[in-house]
Structures are given as C-alpha cells and as structure tokens.
Amino acid sequence: MQRGLRKILSVLCAALLLLGIAVGGGVSAKKVSADAVSEYYAGITATGGEALLGQLHDLITSTHTEYTSYSDCRDYGPTTDPALNGGSGIVEFYTHETVTTYIGSSGSPGTWNREHVWPQSLSYDNTGRQLWGTEGGGADMHHLRPSEKEMNATRGNDKFGEVTNGGAVYSKTTGGANSKLGGYHAGGVFEPLDNVKGDAARIVLYVYTHYNSYENVHGTTNGSGRSSYFGDLSLTNVIAASSEDAAFALLVEWNKLDPVDSIETTRNAEVYKIQHNRNPFIDHPEYVDKIWGCGAVEPEPEPEPEPEPEPEPAEGSFTIQIENFTGSGNYGFYPWSSGGVSGTAYLYGNNTSSMQFNKSKDSYYLASTTAAPGAIKSVTVKLKAGETARPWKLLTSDSAYGEVAGKPTNGNDHGTKTVIEDGVTWELTGDDVYFALTYELTGSSGACYLDRITVEYGGEEQGGGSGEEQGGEQGGGSGEEQGGSGEQIDQSKIDAFHTAVEEIVSEGSLEARATSLIDAITAYRALSEAERTAAAADVQTLRTAIAEYNQTVQSLNAAARASEERALRGAGLLD
C-alpha cells in the first residue's frame, strides 16, 4: 500500500486554479483510436484549471445522448469487460480475475453483480438528496463496474482512502473460500490494490465532473440529462479525507501511481459506442493533474536535513513455532510474528503443541507478509516428534505473499523436500526476502504437524573486506565540488537556480508572475540537498516571492467574492 502523500504547494496551486491559469505537467495521454478521440476533444480549448473542468463537463454531458438502464450494465458486461484470457465471463474490477456467472445481489459467492464505484448511499448532494439509484449516475456504464458478489458486499459503502493495518478483502470462489486479494479495509475506509487505484480515481473524477450541476463545475449545460441526475457533489462524500483539497490530492496521486491500462481503454471505447460519451480522464489522464494537481506536487522549497543512511541488511535468523501465532479456533488464516518478521498460515488454531496443516482444507501453506531484514539464505523445517514425514515445497520472492485459496504458486521454486523429525534444509542464493512453504501431499486429505521453521538471512558484507580501497580523484573541471556531507555539488545547477530566481517577475500579469515562479521552482527541484543548502539565500528569496504572490491572489479573490456578494444582494438574490 502506498503511503505518505507528498506535501502540495497548495496556496500557489489554488491561486492558479481560481484564476484559470494552467501549470501543465502530468502523465502522457494514452493513445486510443487516434482519429475518433482527437475529433471528440476538438472543442476543448482550455489548458487547465476551472476552465478545463467546465469544458469537460459540457462535453461529456452534451454527448451523453443515450442514458442506459441498470439492466443494460448487466447485459453489456461481457462486451465492456471481457475476460483477460479471451474466454467466457468478465474481468472483475478489484482483482482482475475472471468471473463467469452473473446472478445479482442475491447470488452466491463466486458470481458477479454491479458495483457502484461511487456508492449510491454516498451520492447525496449538499441538500441531502440522493442523486442516483438505478438510473442517471447510478446506471452510467462509465461508472458501474462488475464485481464478485462477496467482494462487492465487503467493500459495501466504504469510502476510498488509505488504511493502516487494515483487514484484507477477498473475492470468493463458488464454494465461499478466498480467491483473490482485492484490497484492504478498516474503519469504514477501503483501499484498492495499487494496480486498481488509478482506475478508481478516474471513475470517481468522471462522476464528479459529469453529475455536478454545471454551475458547480464552471460549465454551461447539463446536456440532455434530467435535472434530478445533477446536484452539488462533494468529493469527501466518497473519499476519506479531511477536506476537498486533500481528497483531490489523493486522487491526483492515485492517477499517477496507476497509469491507464488496456482494461480501461477497452471499456471506454465500448461504452462510447453505447452512450456516445467518453471518460476524458482515461483518454487524457494528464487532465487530472492540469485541473486539480496544478502540476506541482512537491515539497515546499526549504532546506531539509540530510536523511539518515539506510541500515545495511543484517545477518540473523528467526524461528516460527505455534507460540508465535495469534488467535485460536478452527482451521483458518492465522497471523504469526517472529524476529520482526510477520506472516500468515492456514492451520488449526486450537492446536497448542504444533503447527497443524491439512490438505483437505481451503488452504495449506505458511508464508511471510513482511520482508526479512536480509536476503533469505536457508530455510529449515522440522516435523513434530513421532509424526509421519510429509512433502513440502519452498517458494521465495521479492514481494509479499498474501492469503489465497489452496497455496501460492508465484515466486522462485526451490523444489519439494520430505520433512522429517530431524529437519530438512533448503540452502539458497539470491536476494529474495519473502518465502512461502506449501504442503505438497498427494491426495485430498492428510494432516501434517510441524514443530518449527527456522529462517536464516544475511546481506552482502560492506566495507573494505574485499581488499579494494575507496577513493578517486575529486574536482578536475567537472563543475562539481564536494559538499560537507560528502555529497557532490554541481555549481552549474546552483547557477541556473540563481538565474531563475533573479528572473522572477514581481509586477505585471499574474500569469507571467506565476510562470516565472514555476520556472524557479523547477530549477529548485533539480538541486540536491547539499546544493539547496549552498543556495540558501536564493531559496529564501523564492519562498518570499511565493508568499507575496499568494497574498496578492488571495486579496484579489477576496475582493472578487465581496463584489459578487454585493451584486447578488443588490439583485435580491442573497440574504
């Protein structure tokens, strides 16, 4: 899960947005049937901010000439969301697995139904009126996606956001067992997997842009849609964030994190054939940044202390026994923790003397979900005394193993060994830091009782043990000098930043002043921490110039708002 949204230059961005000034930047547009798409957007002349938002609203509502029904979204599913393997069925939204049978909300696990990505119960406007149920936004095929029945039910009405220590959410097999990981949830918040976050962000922003009344998004028309379809939507209705700005910032980040994929472009083209409108954030994902991101998701320009060096991988080991597990009960997934490493295993929770696995259950393996401190060098597995030897396979990977039905199959396969009371060991080379042990008994049943699992890890030796000395020539016409921390300083970059700061426009048009500030910020971003320290005086000048610009824009906006309020009061339109 992605963590730590970078701090936004929010005041500068907000000022530029309010004035309709485009700052540019963002993700390159993904090409989709070039002639048709180019013609569709031929009337878009705005380059960013509120002006671009309003033009996109007018475009997608005016061309939305065929409002589909809730049933249409079911019937067109195999066409708009075809299975990735080319077979029958649909591709499920959150997990991308193939689900073959539609049955609706009353169906059994392993079937699919229709997911309102922006849930119906969260579609209320500022008056408390719910904007969609099974028509309008609630039946828009750019909005609804197919979801496995239990996956849909578990996500429920959770808002999108980022969670810490949340529970895993799975789609299910027809038998009700976990099938595929689809995300995490906790406290009424749902976090999709990283490769679905962009899909979710672009759908939410489409719905926000389309179904907001045109007055709220700076447009001029709601097209042919009924007035009941539109209202004053707030993004915090569906995004778990403290403010609208924070909600937009999260979706801007998700849009960049997960680029447009073939699943999105396929359904965008198919829905276009049906509704006659497109999702502009799929055709042009850079629009997200130009409208809401301001092209400036960077730290504020101020020197920061040198980061502490990352510790080198340690050498050591950890042992897993039944006492390292949390919880008790029948067969199921139970978490374990040992030596700072955590994982999961599908075993019998009420066995207090050994780790009891069974091939006849829904799953039969043990795996790590956090990385070992160093590359895994060996894994030793011992059987409980007096028990029958059983076969086990070792897999390792550079990514975490999750909870799946049966057993994991991904990663590097190190073969199957027969585990005995004295233990058996896999010796490894490589850099993998995650492992999975899978129970390989042939047949449908048979318990295995493991006493302990010991994992040894170790990083490469650092320093002068190889007989080679550190060193090298310094300086010598490269334009670089050694900083006090040992970091190289490129004087040409410092000079370029100084020039950009000197060229900041302090008077004249706001657009020219904003452009000069962004040029200076761009030059600042190219500097290393040592270079920023060396250019501290120019950094302070830039910070002062940004503050003065923001103050000017805020004053202009306040005056504009006051003038508008006076005009409304004079017309008797404002109490």
Side-chain angles (χ1 to χ4, degrees):
M1 289 178 281
Q2 297 296 313
R3 291 288 178 265
L5 277 178
R6 294 164 292 176
K7 190 175 181 181
I8 298 173
L9 296 176
S10 56
V11 181
L12 175 61
C13 287
L16 298 177
L17 179 63
L18 287 170
L19 293 166
I21 299 173
V23 186
V27 184
S28 299
K30 191 174 181 72
K31 301 300 182 185
V32 186
S33 50
D35 291 341
V37 175
S38 178
E39 182 178 351
Y40 185 78
Y41 295 101
I44 299 297
T45 59
T47 57
E50 294 174 346
L52 178 57
L53 176 62
Q55 287 187 2
L56 292 178
H57 169 85
D58 288 354
L59 174 65
I60 62 179
T61 56
S62 296
T63 57
H64 191 171
T65 55
E66 183 66 33
Y67 276 83
T68 50
S69 70
Y70 198 52
S71 296
D72 290 334
C73 300
R74 172 197 64 202
D75 298 337
Y76 282 116
T79 300
T80 57
D81 300 87
L84 296 180
N85 59 13
S88 61
I90 55 90
V91 58
E92 201 271 341
F93 179 47
Y94 292 109
T95 65
H96 290 174
E97 70 175 323
T98 297
V99 183
T100 58
T101 305
Y102 172 85
I103 200 163
S105 60
S106 61
S108 59
T111 61
W112 68 274
N113 55 22
R114 294 153 291 191
E115 160 89 337
H116 287 90
V117 177
W118 188 318
Q120 296 183 55
S121 63
L122 304 181
S123 67
Y124 47 87
D125 66 7
N126 64 341
T127 68
R129 178 174 60 95
Q130 184 171 301
L131 294 188
W132 53 79
T134 57
E135 60 179 12
D140 189 323
M141 294 179 64
H142 285 301
H143 174 200
L144 269 70
R145 296 295 295 270
S147 178
E148 189 275 321
K149 186 252 183 186
E150 293 298 317
M151 184 76 225
N152 190 346
T154 306
R155 187 259 162 140
N157 296 326
D158 286 352
K159 294 184 178 183
F160 284 126
E162 294 187 337
V163 301
T164 303
N165 299 323
V169 181
Y170 294 89
S171 62
K172 301 291 185 180
T173 66
T174 53
N178 288 343
S179 178
K180 293 286 186 179
L181 179 66
Y184 304 87
H185 70 156
V189 179
F190 176 76
E191 179 176 3
L193 300 180
D194 284 353
N195 67 334
V196 181
K197 284 177 177 173
D199 306 51
R202 289 180 280 273
I203 291 172
V204 167
L205 292 174
Y206 165 86
V207 173
Y208 177 89
T209 302
H210 187 302
Y211 292 99
N212 250 307
S213 294
Y214 69 84
E215 301 94 337
N216 303 319
V217 287
H218 312 282
T220 61
T221 178
N222 286 335
S224 61
R226 299 176 188 171
S227 60
S228 60
Y229 294 168
F230 300 86
D232 187 356
L233 281 171
S234 173
L235 203 60
T236 51
N237 288 1
V238 69
I239 303 298
S242 58
S243 66
E244 287 287 287
D245 286 345
F248 282 123
L250 178 68
L251 296 186
V252 168
E253 173 130 329
W254 282 11
N255 175 63
K256 291 182 178 180
L257 168 70
D258 172 31
V260 173
D261 57 32
S262 60
I263 296 175
E264 293 176 272
T265 56
T266 295
R267 79 180 325 273
N268 198 24
E270 291 299 323
V271 174
Y272 176 51
K273 296 175 185 177
I274 301 163
Q275 296 185 176
H276 310 135
N277 72 334
R278 306 183 68 91
N279 182 336
F281 306 116
I282 293 175
D283 292 331
H284 290 283
E286 76 275 14
Y287 284 168
V288 175
D289 193 59
K290 289 184 175 182
I291 297 172
W292 295 289
C294 299
V297 185
E298 291 290 341
E300 289 196 28
E302 59 180 288
E304 297 179 357
E306 290 291 325
E308 293 294 327
E310 292 290 331
E312 297 296 338
E315 293 186 356
S317 65
F318 58 90
T319 298
I320 307 163
Q321 294 181 281
I322 192 64
E323 52 262 37
N324 298 110
F325 284 82
T326 302
S328 62
N330 292 324
Y331 276 100
F333 281 107
Y334 292 91
W336 57 264
S337 179
S338 177
V341 180
S342 302
T344 187
Y346 198 96
L347 45 68
Y348 185 56
N350 280 328
N351 190 329
T352 59
S353 62
S354 64
M355 296 175 282
Q356 179 180 336
F357 300 83
N358 199 313
K359 184 65 183 297
S360 67
K361 304 304 177 183
D362 290 338
S363 298
Y364 28 88
Y365 70 95
L366 178 147
S368 59
T369 55
T370 62
I376 296 172
K377 298 305 180 185
S378 71
V379 177
T380 300
V381 183
K382 291 187 176 183
L383 194 70
K384 181 183 177 182
E387 296 297 333
T388 303
R390 299 292 193 190
W392 286 77
K393 178 188 290 185
L394 175 65
L395 302 170
T396 61
S397 175
D398 60 359
S399 59
Y401 288 95
E403 297 177 7
V404 299
K407 61 183 181 180
T409 57
N410 58 300
N412 294 313
D413 187 338
H414 300 282
T416 300
K417 294 178 181 287
T418 300
V419 176
I420 58 177
E421 184 176 331
D422 290 337
V424 63
T425 299
W426 287 264
E427 300 286 352
L428 309 178
T429 59
D431 299 323
D432 289 342
V433 291
Y434 295 91
F435 75 97
L437 285 161
T438 63
Y439 187 20
E440 297 295 313
L441 181 68
T442 302
S444 61
S445 64
C448 179
Y449 304 86
L450 298 183
D451 178 64
R452 68 182 60 198
I453 299 166
T454 302
V455 179
E456 295 186 349
Y457 57 84
E460 295 180 358
E461 185 175 339
Q462 305 294 319
S466 65
E468 296 181 359
E469 295 182 357
Q470 301 291 326
E473 295 182 1
Q474 302 294 327
S478 66
E480 297 183 348
E481 298 178 357
Q482 188 81 12
S485 64
E487 183 178 356
Q488 295 293 328
I489 292 178
D490 188 338
Q491 185 61 43
S492 65
K493 291 183 180 180
I494 296 176
D495 292 342
F497 175 55
H498 176 73
T499 299
V501 170
E502 284 193 327
E503 293 178 351
I504 292 174
V505 178
S506 59
E507 297 179 354
S509 73
L510 286 173
E511 184 168 7
R513 294 167 66 179
T515 299
S516 68
L517 284 172
I518 291 166
D519 288 343
I521 292 170
T522 301
Y524 166 82
R525 293 180 195 146
L527 301 178
S528 68
E529 294 301 331
E531 290 159 355
R532 293 174 183 179
T533 300
D538 285 329
V539 170
Q540 183 57 48
T541 300
L542 174 58
R543 294 177 65 192
T544 300
I546 291 174
E548 291 174 349
Y549 174 87
N550 289 334
Q551 184 175 5
T552 299
V553 173
Q554 289 169 342
S555 298
L556 289 172
N557 286 333
R561 284 193 295 270
S563 176
E564 182 180 5
E565 289 178 3
R566 286 194 297 271
L568 291 172
R569 285 194 177 94
L573 299 175
L574 187 66
D575 294 333

